[in-house]
Structure formats: structure tokens, C-alpha cells
Amino acid sequence: MKIGIGRTHGKIILIGEHAVVYESRAISIPFFETECVVEAYDSNGKTSLVSSLYQGDLDQAGSAFDAISSLITELEKKLALPPLEYNINSTIPVSAGMGSSAAVAGAIVEAVYDYLDLTLSEEEHFEWIQFAERISHGNPSGIDALTVSRDEAWVFQRGKKPICFNQKLNAYLVVGQSGVLGSTKVAVSSVRRLVDSERKYHIIESISETVEHAYAAYLKQDVVSLGRALNRAQEYLTQLEVSVQEIDEMVMLAQVSGALGAKLTGGGLGGCVIALAQTKDVAQAIQKSWEEFSGLSAWILDLNEEKQ
Ligand code: PMV
């Protein structure tokens, strides 16, 4: 039996989410600890899905699958693709700011190209994911599409060629789940309302400045300044009303444990929190406090060892 395989991973936005929608720069890194694998194979004549959330014909999958459904329909049209069965296996938490929707779309596209023995360029991959992301959340900057499908760390700016950088840093990044489901679509449109009707564009500009400080600190291996930048970004995201009580509490727990900085990551209104720690002991203390708080696993990334 012919089979196509696609593989993508989660992503972490270190700093610059939301402002990146307004053409500010943002910094993202791949999160290999979570991944999405899609296998595509011949079906019995109808396009169908096998996933933990739904099993059955794609045309019956319901509105939660609108983006995937439109993506596959477009792929079928543009590439003369026959109806296939898509087996989706993802360990990326959904509605958690880790790029799950982009990763699923990216893995489907890769599986389809693999099935058809077609070469998929990085640009085509990005554009196909963006096609699905526009349906998922309206006005995607593209940072998720890029980071879930590529293995590097990025300084991303809408409409510009992204800059890849060496993410090696003498520090640990702790990634924790609040357990509150975020909604990128709702968050992005409520920030748009604040910016347009309540004249809050200055907060976007402040985030943008903070991103530049963070990037300069990263390049100088100045982990203390980087941590400070993360804390400032969290204050601005709170002013944009995309933080929630559970995230605020996790940020506080990280600070009490000795984090250099902590903030939400991704769209917010729930989802994940990140904290920068100078030592493994501090990282483990943060991990423990977060896991006790939410009952969900937290990860520690040794930034010195992460893949380049
Ligand atoms: O919640 P996520 O993982 O989709 O991240 C969204 C990041 C935003 O900056 C809020 C939106 C975007 O498209 O860049």
C-alpha cells in the first residue's frame, strides 16, 4: 500500500506574540518535545480522518475541522490528489499556544507531497500552512507556519525574509501548561479591537522595543537582560488583556522559584507559560511548582543543548 508521511513539531514564541501581527519582530524556537505525525494512505473512495478527536469521513467532521477540511479539499483540487485516509497523531497540546493547528496542517501537506512523490519547497510548505491558518484564526502572522515546519530558531517579521539564529544559550527554558484552553482567534481579534478602538497601539510598540532588547541580549548571551525583557513582555501582554489569572499565578510561582523572567507564550487567554532559569535547580523548582499547580506536565529545555 502506498503511504505518505509528514512530520512537524510544536513551537515556542519566546517574545513578540501579538505585536508580530502588526509587523513587529518576534522570536520563536522549535519545540521538538511535542510533534505531529500524519500518515496518508489510500482510502475506500472517501476522504477520511483518524485522530484522537474524530474518526470518520472528513465531510462529517464538523466546524472544528474546517481548516483541515478546506486545506485537504484545496490540495485535492490543485494536485489532482485522490481521496485518502489521514491518520493524525499529535502530542502537541491543542489551544495551548504551541502552534498545534499549524503543525497539523503542515504535517498533512508534507504527507500529501510524500504520497504523490512531489518535492515540497519551504515556501510552498509555508504558504499551504498559511492557507489553513487563515481559516483557523483569520489573520496569522506566519510565525507558527514557519516555526513548526522548520528546525531552526527564528527572528520573524511579517513580509520579510526571516532571520535564523543560533539559539544556544547558557540557560534553561521551562515550558508549562496552564490547562486553560486559549483561543488565538479570539485573542487576536480582541487585541485588534483594543488597538483600533481604544488607541492601544503604543503597547504594540512597547512590545516591539522589548523584542529588540531581548534579541540583543540573546546575541550577547546576557541571560539576565533577556529574563527582564520576558517579564516586561508579560506586563504588556497583560495590558493587552490576553493573560488570565492562572497564567499570572504561574508567572508568580516562577518568580518565587527564582526565574530570570516568565511570560505566557502564543495567543494567550490560557495555554502555556515559559520561564527562563539560569540553573537546572531553579528550572526544576519551577517545573515542580507548575506541575503541582495545573496537574499537567511541564518541560525543561536546556538551551545549551537544543538542536541548532
Ligand atoms: O496561539 P498560537 O500558537 O497560534 O500563536 C499565536 C501567535 C500570535 O502572535 C498571537 C498570532 C500570530 O499569528 O502571530
Side-chain angles (χ1 to χ4, degrees), residues 216-278:
Y218 210 121
L219 295 181
K220 280 194 291 193
Q221 300 280 304
D222 179 352
V223 290
V224 173
S225 299
L226 178 59
R228 253 189 245 127
L230 298 187
N231 283 336
R232 275 207 305 282
Q234 174 60 20
E235 284 166 25
Y236 297 132
L237 289 165
T238 304
Q239 290 170 26
L240 287 178
E241 299 173 17
V242 292
S243 196
V244 292
Q245 197 189 332
E246 287 81 353
I247 300 228
D248 296 344
E249 286 181 35
M250 288 174 74
V251 165
M252 226 169 59
L253 286 170
Q255 281 159 355
V256 168
S257 301
L260 297 168
K263 61 182 277 294
L264 66 83
T265 182
L269 297 179
C272 288
V273 187
I274 54 170
L276 190 69
Q278 198 148 26

Side-chain angles (χ1 to χ4, degrees), residues 11 13 17-18 20-21 97-99 137 140-141 143-144 184 188 266-267:
K11 65 97 226 262
I13 298 181
E17 50 274 273
H18 285 291
V20 70
V21 173
M98 276 193 194
H137 67 86
S141 66
I143 193 168
D144 286 15
T184 306
V188 167

Side-chain angles (χ1 to χ4, degrees), residues 23 27 68 91 104 122 125 135 147 162 164 184 239 247 272 274:
E23 292 174 26
I27 304 175
I68 291 179
T91 56
V104 172
E122 286 166 347
H125 204 183
I135 296 159
T147 319
C164 152
T184 306
Q239 290 170 26
I247 300 228
C272 288
I274 54 170

Side-chain angles (χ1 to χ4, degrees), residues 11-139:
K11 65 97 226 262
I12 303 288
I13 298 181
L14 273 188
I15 190 163
E17 50 274 273
H18 285 291
V20 70
V21 173
Y22 300 82
E23 292 174 26
S24 161
R25 299 210 289 182
I27 304 175
S28 61
I29 60 171
F31 187 53
F32 298 115
E33 282 67 12
T34 59
E35 66 169 8
C36 178
V37 180
V38 169
E39 289 173 354
Y41 32 82
D42 298 323
S43 73
N44 54 4
K46 283 200 89 177
T47 304
S48 57
L49 293 182
V50 179
S51 77
S52 59
L53 299 176
Y54 174 78
Q55 301 193 0
D57 291 344
L58 185 60
D59 56 11
Q60 303 294 316
S63 60
F65 289 84
D66 277 356
I68 291 179
S69 177
S70 303
L71 173 68
I72 294 175
T73 306
E74 193 69 10
L75 285 162
E76 288 174 346
K77 216 161 61 189
K78 288 266 163 65
L79 304 176
L81 176 72
L84 301 178
E85 178 158 313
Y86 296 86
N87 193 328
I88 303 172
N89 265 299
S90 177
T91 56
I92 308 172
V94 291
S95 306
M98 276 193 194
S100 154
S101 58
V104 172
I108 287 174
V109 172
E110 213 175 274
V112 162
Y113 273 70
D114 188 38
Y115 177 90
L116 294 173
D117 288 323
L118 291 174
T119 306
L120 177 63
S121 72
E122 286 166 347
E123 291 73 21
E124 279 172 313
H125 204 183
F126 177 86
E127 286 306 331
W128 275 118
I129 301 174
Q130 280 292 83
F131 174 90
E133 286 287 272
R134 274 183 213 108
I135 296 159
S136 300
H137 67 86
N139 184 18

